[in-house]
Amino acid sequence: MIRELTQEDASPFAQLMRSVEQDSQYMLFEPEERSTTVEDHKRKIQLINESPNSTLLAEESDQKLAGYLLAIGGMAKRNKHCAYIVIGILKEHRGLGLGTKLFQHVEDWAKKQNIHRLELNAAVQNEAGIALYKKAGFSIEGVRKDSLLINNHYVDEYYMAKLLKTE
């Protein structure tokens, strides 16, 4: 089941983020680098839920959060039609279609909110992630050279986006 998170989900969401960051070499934050408290997550979830062009979706499997997709809407008049995507899925749930479902759900949400552009970054070595994003209709728009430092090596990122037809 995919649903929007509420403040009551702050603790399981914090655990989900820690687990995803522990098991993925391509998340922005390294394992244990994030120092966000449950109270911080509650406040962030509240702000996201109050924003008409942002959302935090999660897949719940066996009453446990298995993955999330965060869409952060632009804050200025000129970019309110855009939302930046961050997605994370537990290792044991990857490759099972959860990412595809999350992208379908966020696209439906985005069209209702008159979001015209979804965008994200992906390390060029993240082949599984890039395949998922392309499957969801994202295109590579450019390369951000040496934008990440992973294991003491500079890594390029693709800048990817998908344009939506709004209602």
Side-chain angles (χ1 to χ4, degrees):
M1 174 178 87
I2 295 176
R3 63 179 179 84
E4 285 189 320
L5 293 184
T6 66
Q7 288 180 296
E8 289 75 36
D9 296 306
S11 182
F13 178 62
Q15 178 57 47
L16 172 63
M17 288 187 77
R18 278 191 298 275
S19 296
V20 168
E21 289 167 354
Q22 188 72 39
D23 292 331
S24 175
Q25 61 186 6
Y26 299 116
M27 298 303 287
L28 180 60
F29 287 92
E30 293 183 3
E32 308 304 324
E33 181 181 4
R34 189 183 300 271
S35 60
T36 312
T37 67
V38 171
E39 286 303 313
D40 293 334
H41 281 293
K42 281 184 182 179
R43 282 190 292 279
K44 287 180 183 180
I45 291 170
Q46 179 182 357
L47 289 172
I48 290 164
N49 289 343
E50 290 173 354
S51 171
N53 64 342
S54 297
T55 190
L56 177 54
L57 304 172
E59 165 71 24
E60 199 168 38
S61 178
D62 297 324
Q63 298 180 332
K64 180 183 173 193
L65 299 181
Y68 70 92
L69 188 149
L70 171 62
I72 305 165
M75 305 214 358
K77 266 187 179 180
R78 293 183 176 186
N79 74 347
K80 282 190 182 280
H81 66 283
C82 301
Y84 183 81
I85 303 293
V86 177
I87 186 170
I89 299 172
L90 290 174
K91 188 176 186 176
E92 59 270 22
H93 292 270
R94 293 180 195 151
L96 303 175
L98 173 55
T100 299
K101 285 194 251 180
L102 284 166
F103 274 110
Q104 289 168 344
H105 201 91
V106 79
E107 188 172 328
D108 292 342
W109 166 86
K111 287 177 181 177
K112 291 175 187 165
Q113 303 304 318
N114 289 318
I115 302 290
H116 175 64
R117 177 183 171 88
L118 299 175
E119 51 194 25
L120 55 84
N121 295 345
V124 296
Q125 293 87 347
N126 184 358
E127 294 175 8
I130 293 165
L132 170 63
Y133 309 146
K134 286 182 174 181
K135 180 179 177 184
F138 284 75
S139 301
I140 296 171
E141 293 186 333
V143 178
R144 298 177 65 206
K145 303 300 280 181
D146 292 351
S147 64
L148 298 174
L149 183 63
I150 300 175
N151 298 324
N152 293 318
H153 292 83
Y154 289 107
V155 173
D156 296 346
E157 281 184 297
Y158 288 132
Y159 198 79
M160 301 180 75
K162 178 177 184 176
L163 299 181
L164 306 174
K165 294 180 180 164
T166 52
E167 298 170 354

